[in-house]
């Protein structure tokens, strides 16, 4: 499923585009926005695969909005003019739909982008995006040594940096790759590939000593390749 949003200031054009999206089973619409600020607020908190983006908006242009994105989803530009084609090419957008958008042209655009997005999703399936430092930060499984609950926050510890994200350990656990991560304590999830050694009821990852609770000891021992 391709997660998408529409950014279009004209209500009639927005309604028409929404109807087209709803007819395409591979698309999941997560919002329709009539100005750049609302869209940017949403995109700072949520990950989207695809944006249908109007170029001509009253507050900023679609290209201005692209310059402010916290990350870069795939972009299909929508416009009533063709004069922006060269600039669109410079921004590496995947398609350029001229209004009024017909159903056959819309489907052609989706079929063009679908393999690219599906391939990208498969490639980054072991990545997560965390909300930290006012932006979305991508971390791969192998980047994360362990994760610790700290009050209302969750701390992601990597070899290079530590990130604090407002979340619960339970919500994070549900999104992690279960082949790499295991919960060893009510406050800790570890990357099993990062374990240096285990002694009694503690695990050593780098210079960090992490406790193992009795409830989780069997789980972690079963996951290890013990000879």
């Amino acid at each position: 499923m391709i997660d998408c949003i529409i950014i279009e200031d004209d209500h009639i054009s927005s309604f028409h585009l929404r109807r087209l999206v709803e007819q395409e089973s591979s698309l999941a619409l997560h919002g329709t926005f009539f100005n750049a600020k609302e869209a940017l607020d949403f995109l700072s908190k949520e990950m989207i695969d695809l944006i249908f983006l109007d170029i001509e908006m009253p507050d900023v242009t679609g290209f201005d909005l692209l310059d402010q994105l916290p990350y870069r989803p795939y972009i299909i530009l929508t416009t009533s003019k063709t004069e922006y084609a060269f600039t669109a090419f410079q921004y590496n957008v995947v398609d350029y739909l001229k209004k009024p958008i017909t159903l056959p042209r819309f489907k052609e655009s989706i079929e063009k982008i679908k393999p690219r997005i599906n391939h990208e999703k498969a490639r980054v399936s072991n990545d997560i995006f965390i909300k930290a430092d006012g932006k979305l930060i991508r971390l791969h499984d192998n980047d994360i040594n362990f994760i610790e609950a700290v009050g209302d926050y969750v701390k992601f510890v990597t070899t290079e940096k530590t990130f604090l994200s407002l979340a619960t350990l339970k919500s994070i656990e549900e999104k992690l790759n279960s082949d790499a991560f295991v919960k060893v304590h009510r406050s800790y999830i570890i990357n099993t590939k990062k374990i240096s050694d285990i002694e009694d009821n503690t695990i050593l990852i780098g210079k960090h000593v992490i406790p193992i609770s009795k409830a989780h000891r069997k789980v972690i021992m079963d996951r290890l390749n013990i000879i």
Side-chain angles (χ1 to χ4, degrees), residues 5 7 33 35-48 51 65 68-73 129-138 165-166:
I5 64 170
I7 306 175
F33 302 91
N35 63 71
K37 184 181 184 306
E38 290 180 356
L40 287 169
D41 287 345
F42 175 84
L43 291 167
S44 69
K45 302 169 186 173
E46 303 293 337
M47 293 299 303
I48 291 297
I51 299 176
L65 184 142
Q68 299 176 58
L69 288 178
Y71 60 96
R72 182 52 63 89
F129 285 82
I130 65 170
K131 302 169 188 175
D133 301 328
K135 56 188 174 182
L136 289 167
I137 298 170
R138 173 184 278 178
S165 181
L166 184 60

Side-chain angles (χ1 to χ4, degrees), residues 39-101:
L40 287 169
D41 287 345
F42 175 84
L43 291 167
S44 69
K45 302 169 186 173
E46 303 293 337
M47 293 299 303
I48 291 297
D49 303 313
L50 171 65
I51 299 176
F52 295 96
L53 176 61
D54 182 27
I55 296 177
E56 298 172 303
M57 294 184 289
D59 47 354
V60 299
T61 69
F63 298 121
D64 292 332
L65 184 142
L66 291 179
D67 289 333
Q68 299 176 58
L69 288 178
Y71 60 96
R72 182 52 63 89
Y74 288 93
I75 305 294
I76 294 178
L77 290 179
T78 62
T79 180
S80 57
K81 300 179 181 179
T82 58
E83 62 196 57
Y84 302 106
F86 178 72
T87 306
F89 175 77
Q90 291 180 309
Y91 276 87
N92 199 31
V93 304
V94 295
D95 210 347
Y96 188 98
L97 296 178
K98 189 173 183 303
K99 301 174 186 177
I101 304 167

Side-chain angles (χ1 to χ4, degrees), residues 55-209:
I55 296 177
E56 298 172 303
M57 294 184 289
D59 47 354
V60 299
T61 69
F63 298 121
D64 292 332
L65 184 142
L66 291 179
D67 289 333
Q68 299 176 58
L69 288 178
Y71 60 96
R72 182 52 63 89
Y74 288 93
I75 305 294
I76 294 178
L77 290 179
T78 62
T79 180
S80 57
K81 300 179 181 179
T82 58
E83 62 196 57
Y84 302 106
F86 178 72
T87 306
F89 175 77
Q90 291 180 309
Y91 276 87
N92 199 31
V93 304
V94 295
D95 210 347
Y96 188 98
L97 296 178
K98 189 173 183 303
K99 301 174 186 177
I101 304 167
T102 65
L103 180 59
R105 180 66 182 89
F106 178 82
K107 286 185 173 293
E108 177 188 329
S109 184
I110 299 306
E111 289 305 313
K112 179 192 299 185
I113 196 174
K114 198 184 298 183
R116 296 173 64 174
I117 292 181
N118 289 339
H119 174 74
E120 178 70 11
K121 282 194 167 187
R123 187 179 69 81
V124 301
S125 60
N126 291 335
D127 290 7
I128 61 169
F129 285 82
I130 65 170
K131 302 169 188 175
D133 301 328
K135 56 188 174 182
L136 289 167
I137 298 170
R138 173 184 278 178
L139 294 177
H140 188 271
D141 282 358
N142 202 46
D143 296 329
I144 304 169
N145 293 340
F146 66 91
I147 305 165
E148 179 185 0
V150 184
D152 294 331
Y153 290 83
V154 171
K155 181 167 66 175
F156 293 80
V157 179
T158 72
T159 303
E160 302 295 330
K161 293 184 67 176
T162 296
F163 302 96
L164 273 179
S165 181
L166 184 60
T168 65
L169 203 64
K170 179 176 175 57
S171 67
I172 297 298
E173 183 180 11
E174 293 170 350
K175 298 176 182 178
L176 292 172
N177 176 8
S178 59
D179 291 334
F181 294 93
V182 62
K183 191 172 185 179
V184 297
H185 185 276
R186 61 188 175 88
S187 298
Y188 290 91
I189 295 172
I190 66 159
N191 186 338
T192 57
K193 297 178 182 179
K194 302 293 185 175
I195 297 173
S196 300
D197 63 53
I198 299 177
E199 183 176 349
D200 297 327
N201 294 317
T202 60
I203 291 173
L204 184 66
I205 295 181
K207 297 180 179 180
H208 299 274
V209 178

